[in-house]
């Protein structure tokens, strides 16, 4: 049975402004890009998301309900629904930075998927298996209630 906890309505003036912006279509999502030291597979990232976030911190499964505006934490979620594989085309490392910046800018204009308060994009570059990074897209709803550094670790 799904649990309902505290209302998602924020109490601070800044939090209330973020909530109003989100409801009016201005996305209040934090975007963080981390370059990885080596390649990682979608399966490895999905396993890490499941064990390090979804199992360890069950509230990371939560999201704000569309009509009730309450925080809903499902008992189970599919960890692969949080991981988005992306392959970008770039000829050089300098091109990678420009292409990645453009991709992040496009993502900033999009809402998070339904029933998700965050997701992570595994970005690889065509023809460059040694290069990859992750793009974390995290709602302020999560960032306001959880130490962002804990998520990133």
């Amino acid at each position: 049975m799904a649990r309902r906890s505290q209302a998602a309505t924020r109490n601070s003036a800044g939090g209330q402004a973020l909530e109003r912006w989100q409801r009016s279509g201005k996305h209040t999502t934090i975007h963080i890009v981390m370059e990885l030291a080596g390649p990682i597979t979608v399966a490895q990232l999905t396993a890490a998301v499941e064990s390090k976030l979804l199992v360890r911190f069950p509230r990371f499964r939560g999201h704000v309900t569309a009509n009730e505006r309450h925080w809903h934490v499902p008992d189970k979620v599919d960890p692969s629904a949080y991981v988005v594989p992306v392959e970008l085309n770039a000829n050089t490392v300098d091109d990678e930075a420009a292409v990645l910046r453009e991709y992040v800018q496009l993502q900033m204009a999009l809402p998070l998927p339904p029933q998700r308060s965050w997701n992570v994009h595994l970005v690889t570059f065509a023809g460059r298996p040694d290069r990859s990074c992750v793009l974390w897209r995290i709602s302020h709803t999560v960032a306001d209630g959880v130490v962002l550094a804990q998520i990133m670790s």
Side-chain angles (χ1 to χ4, degrees), residues 79-138:
S80 66
Y82 291 86
V83 179
V84 179
V86 176
E87 184 178 73
L88 300 177
N89 291 311
N91 296 324
T92 67
V93 173
D94 290 338
D95 291 342
E96 287 176 11
V99 169
L100 181 60
R101 230 179 354 265
E102 184 177 315
Y103 180 74
V104 172
Q105 288 173 342
L106 290 172
Q107 292 303 307
M108 290 176 77
L110 299 174
L112 286 163
Q115 299 182 342
R116 298 289 174 264
S117 58
W118 62 275
N119 69 7
V120 60
H121 296 215
L122 176 57
V123 180
T124 57
F125 298 94
R128 310 262 332 238
D130 59 321
R131 306 274 299 160
S132 60
C133 58
V134 291
L135 165 63
W136 292 92
R137 301 184 68 226
I138 305 168

Side-chain angles (χ1 to χ4, degrees), residues 58-96:
R59 290 185 57 80
F60 288 170
R61 297 182 222 139
H63 62 276
V64 176
T65 60
N67 51 1
E68 296 179 40
R69 292 181 50 226
H70 290 277
W71 191 250
H72 172 72
V73 180
D75 291 330
K76 291 185 179 184
V77 292
D78 177 3
S80 66
Y82 291 86
V83 179
V84 179
V86 176
E87 184 178 73
L88 300 177
N89 291 311
N91 296 324
T92 67
V93 173
D94 290 338
D95 291 342
E96 287 176 11

